[in-house]
Amino acid sequence: MKILHADCDCFYAAVEMRDNPDLLERPLAVGGRPEHRGVVATCNYPARTFGIHSAMPMAQAVKRCPELVIVKPDFDKYRQVSQQIQALFFELTDKVEPLSLDEAYLDVTDTPRFQGSATWMAQWLKREANARTGITVSVGAAPNKFLAKIASDWEKPDGLFVIPPEEAEAFIERLPVSKLHGVGPATQTKLERLSITTCQELKALALPTLIEQFGKFGHRLYELARGIDRREVKTERERKSVSVETTFDHDLPDIDACRRALPALVDKLDERLDRHDRPATNKVFVKVRFNDFSITTLETGGHAPDLATFEALLGEAWQRKARPVRLLGVGVRLVPPQELMQLGLF
């Protein structure tokens, strides 16, 4: 297999810098205002030198960099640029799996262009993306999705890194375990206690030992340490839920305040379901983030996504902590396509 992973460098910020060159050398974050409890959606590389990163509270980002320029997100503009870049992907292959507005996998195994060279395809993709949209794309090429994603991040920003099949094993053995997808700080610490910092050291552990130490994830670690990834590029992504949520400027102090905020959310969800042509649903849920940043969700089946159902769920969910609330969300779980087929048959 020949897989490309394309990832736009600091995409939202890149679009803003393209449209306003005065921002190029200034620390920039795209996201909500700090006084409204906004978070960083993305930031440019000058901002990253201050330790700012995606999902960081904007108030914390401003403390780290008082001269930080904050730009409100313009998702309509970002979608337009994303569509231009994704059109490039489809010029190479129809086997494209978009992961977000700025990221996708491409299966170019059978692509005849550029004499079938994944490296030349990656070079063309980077060149054309910059020429047509002004956006820099980092691309990784490898025999599978796992390695392609690592490769695209290897020489960021403006990276192009290729892992040929014959060099994959040696590359993986040198790879730090912290680079493996799913290895967070807790797993990394546990691996370090076992004197494991590289995939070569991880490879020495037997599968039963890994499962004993890490449960089901042990099997995944066993495969990743050997570069095994059988996932195919999926050209159709299955939507599993539709939801809306909002973070409030001030904490909602009690359940009555939460109930008053609920109708607007339910109306917004209703509008979103209309845009998705009223898909079949089998569960409804609420999400509550309290002022201590803990999150609880509660769902139930067999009910319509109406205000009365969400009020009942909200009351029960709020009782779990019974404290001020900073975020509320409501949503529905969708009936999987295979179940819809069975319903149609039977």
Side-chain angles (χ1 to χ4, degrees):
M1 290 176 65
K2 296 178 185 178
I3 306 296
L4 302 182
H5 180 260
D7 189 10
C8 302
D9 297 336
C10 59
F11 180 54
Y12 302 161
V15 175
E16 298 298 342
M17 290 187 293
R18 180 199 67 176
D19 294 347
N20 183 0
D22 290 341
L23 298 173
L24 281 172
E25 303 301 325
R26 301 177 66 185
L28 166 69
V30 177
R33 301 296 306 178
E35 62 269 21
H36 294 159
R37 291 181 169 174
V39 297
V40 177
T42 193
C43 60
N44 64 1
Y45 286 91
R48 294 182 191 192
T49 63
F50 291 87
I52 297 169
H53 56 78
S54 299
M56 173 181 283
M58 194 65 78
Q60 184 179 344
V62 171
K63 284 181 180 178
R64 294 191 178 194
C65 178
E67 63 268 33
L68 183 69
V69 178
I70 301 171
V71 175
K72 182 181 177 182
D74 184 345
F75 290 107
D76 288 337
K77 179 168 66 173
Y78 306 150
R79 287 189 191 96
Q80 290 174 6
V81 179
S82 175
Q83 287 168 2
Q84 291 177 275
I85 293 173
Q86 291 199 20
L88 281 172
F89 300 159
F90 284 98
E91 287 184 33
L92 280 178
T93 176
D94 58 356
K95 296 181 179 178
V96 177
E97 180 182 344
L99 302 175
S100 60
L101 291 179
D102 62 337
E103 183 183 7
Y105 286 113
L106 292 75
D107 185 339
V108 295
T109 307
D110 301 318
T111 299
R113 295 185 64 185
F114 305 103
Q115 300 179 28
S117 168
T119 303
W120 290 352
M121 292 180 214
Q123 290 171 343
W124 175 86
L125 197 57
K126 287 174 58 63
R127 185 172 61 249
E128 289 300 307
N130 191 266
R132 299 189 201 182
T133 69
I135 298 301
T136 302
V137 180
S138 290
V139 184
N144 59 42
K145 292 168 81 172
F146 154 59
L147 287 173
K149 187 171 177 64
I150 288 177
S152 70
D153 192 51
W154 203 252
E155 293 182 346
K156 266 182 172 282
D158 197 14
L160 195 169
F161 192 76
V162 179
I163 306 174
E166 64 275 12
E167 297 176 17
E169 184 176 357
F171 176 85
I172 294 164
E173 287 185 347
R174 297 191 301 270
L175 193 67
V177 291
S178 59
K179 293 284 188 180
L180 298 180
H181 180 68
V183 175
T187 303
Q188 186 178 346
T189 300
K190 194 170 183 179
L191 286 166
E192 288 172 354
R193 290 197 193 108
L194 297 170
S195 300
I196 295 170
T197 58
T198 68
C199 285
Q200 184 174 26
E201 293 164 343
L202 179 59
K203 201 173 174 181
L205 282 187
L207 178 58
T209 303
L210 285 169
I211 292 174
E212 180 186 344
Q213 292 287 332
F214 300 97
K216 291 181 179 179
F217 189 57
H219 192 275
R220 184 66 177 150
L221 286 172
Y222 180 88
E223 290 186 333
L224 293 180
R226 290 158 176 77
I228 299 170
D229 185 3
R230 300 182 181 87
R231 294 175 301 159
E232 295 182 356
V233 170
K234 296 181 179 179
T235 56
E236 293 183 7
R237 298 185 70 191
E238 180 184 325
R239 178 179 286 275
K240 297 181 178 179
S241 64
V242 177
S243 63
V244 296
E245 62 183 43
T246 187
T247 300
F248 302 101
D249 293 347
H250 303 284
D251 292 337
L252 303 181
D254 52 34
I255 186 60
D256 289 335
C258 292
R259 288 195 179 107
R260 287 194 294 272
L262 197 58
L265 276 172
V266 176
D267 287 346
K268 193 174 179 181
L269 175 64
D270 203 50
E271 292 173 5
R272 187 161 293 181
L273 288 171
D274 280 340
R275 290 203 301 270
H276 289 285
D277 298 322
R278 288 282 159 182
T281 64
N282 57 11
K283 289 182 180 179
V284 298
F285 65 88
V286 297
K287 172 183 175 182
V288 182
R289 176 179 286 145
F290 297 99
N291 66 341
D292 63 353
F293 289 90
S294 62
I295 298 175
T296 187
T297 59
L298 186 64
E299 63 181 43
T300 184
H303 293 273
D306 54 31
L307 182 59
T309 301
F310 286 119
E311 281 183 339
L313 285 173
L314 174 62
E316 189 175 343
W318 185 82
Q319 285 294 339
R320 291 175 173 176
K321 280 289 185 85
R323 60 185 301 143
V325 168
R326 60 179 283 121
L327 175 147
L328 280 180
V330 295
V332 296
R333 308 289 182 202
L334 305 185
V335 178
Q338 59 270 26
E339 289 188 22
L340 282 174
M341 290 176 64
Q342 290 172 353
L343 288 170
L345 288 171
F346 301 109

